[in-house]
């Protein structure tokens, strides 16, 4: 069984790498290969790779290296994301478990969750100014929504028969929550963590386009203003790779923590 699973993973990895290589080849073909697109309209993968290397040690044209921009974005994204998890997961759990909490919080939450995270950027900038805190608060709101929804759904999907068994053996309400409901909801909770991470990362880049002096979104905005599409694409690629790595880490933690090893 393990050998079969290993073969499937290797096959998936090979297909993934192959599809990326085909995409890069098509990109090269329509730029340097056949010249369908001029370099000022769509930079070739060779040009983008050269800009990627140079941006690691050059601060032009935005005043910081690629690593500095990446670190600035990660600090804000992970800061807001962690706060969102600390508040959002317990809030979703207790909303689902306690009807009184649900009645008090649900109306406000239903209003907040319909507002796109990036829409809060102007409000936060007005309240706390341009800086770490304003962007972290925007990330917090964006990430918290997905965590609350998935935690809530996970608890609500707890099988009634499992709760009956617990009650039969004399389990208290707290024990039913912590030993039955929450463990059974872990797959949904980790799905929420994964979804929230993508939402937080996307919202951060959008927020940095509007209110930032450093970060991947800021780098893209500055490069776009001077028509450096190669740096814009570099930023997009770094955003995609970083998001994929962070998502993989969350999924790995989920497999480790959930009984049975599957999310």
């Amino acid at each position: 069984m393990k050998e079969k699973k290993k073969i499937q993973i290797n096959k998936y990895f090979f297909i993934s790498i192959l599809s990326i290589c085909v995409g890069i080849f098509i990109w090269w073909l329509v730029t340097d290969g056949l010249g369908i697109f001029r370099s000022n309209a769509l930079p070739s993968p060779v040009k983008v790779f050269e800009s990627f290397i140079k941006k690691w040690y050059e601060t032009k044209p935005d005043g910081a290296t690629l690593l500095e921009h990446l670190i600035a974005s990660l600090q804000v994204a992970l800061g807001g994301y962690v706060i969102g998890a600390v508040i959002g997961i317990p809030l979703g759990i207790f909303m689902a478990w306690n009807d009184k909490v649900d009645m008090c919080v649900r109306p406000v939450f239903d209003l907040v969750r319909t507002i796109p995270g990036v829409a809060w950027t102007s409000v936060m900038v007005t309240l706390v100014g341009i800086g770490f805190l304003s962007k972290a608060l925007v990330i917090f709101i964006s990430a918290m929504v997905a965590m609350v929804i998935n935690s809530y759904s996970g608890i609500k999907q707890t099988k009634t028969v499992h709760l009956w068994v617990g009650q039969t053996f004399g389990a208290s309400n707290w024990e039913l929550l912590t030993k039955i409901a929450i463990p059974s909801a872990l797959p949904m909770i980790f799905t929420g963590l994964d979804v929230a991470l993508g939402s937080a990362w996307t919202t951060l880049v959008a927020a940095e386009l509007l209110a930032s002096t450093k970060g991947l979104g800021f780098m893209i905005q500055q490069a776009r203003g001077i028509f450096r599409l190669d740096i814009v694409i570099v930023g997009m690629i770094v955003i995609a790779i970083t998001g994929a790595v962070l998502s993989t880490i969350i999924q790995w933690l989920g497999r480790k923590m959930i009984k049975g090893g599957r999310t």
Side-chain angles (χ1 to χ4, degrees), residues 109-127:
F109 177 75
D110 283 342
L111 291 175
V112 172
R113 73 187 182 94
T114 59
I115 303 173
V118 70
W120 292 94
T121 304
S122 299
V123 176
M124 296 306 173
V125 169
T126 302
L127 292 176

Side-chain angles (χ1 to χ4, degrees), residues 169-184:
F169 283 94
S172 64
N173 190 57
W174 178 253
E175 288 174 329
L176 291 174
L177 174 62
T178 57
K179 294 184 178 181
I180 297 177
I182 292 179
S184 67

Side-chain angles (χ1 to χ4, degrees), residues 96-97 149-163 180-181 184-185 187-189:
W97 191 252
I149 292 174
N150 280 271
S151 300
Y152 184 95
S153 300
I155 297 297
K156 284 294 186 182
Q157 291 175 13
T158 303
K159 293 184 178 180
T160 307
V161 65
H162 293 167
L163 298 176
I180 297 177
S184 67
M188 285 293 293
I189 291 173

Side-chain angles (χ1 to χ4, degrees), residues 28-45:
W28 172 85
L29 193 64
V30 299
T31 51
D32 286 347
L34 300 176
I36 297 175
F37 293 98
R38 293 178 297 176
S39 59
N40 59 345
L42 178 63
S44 69

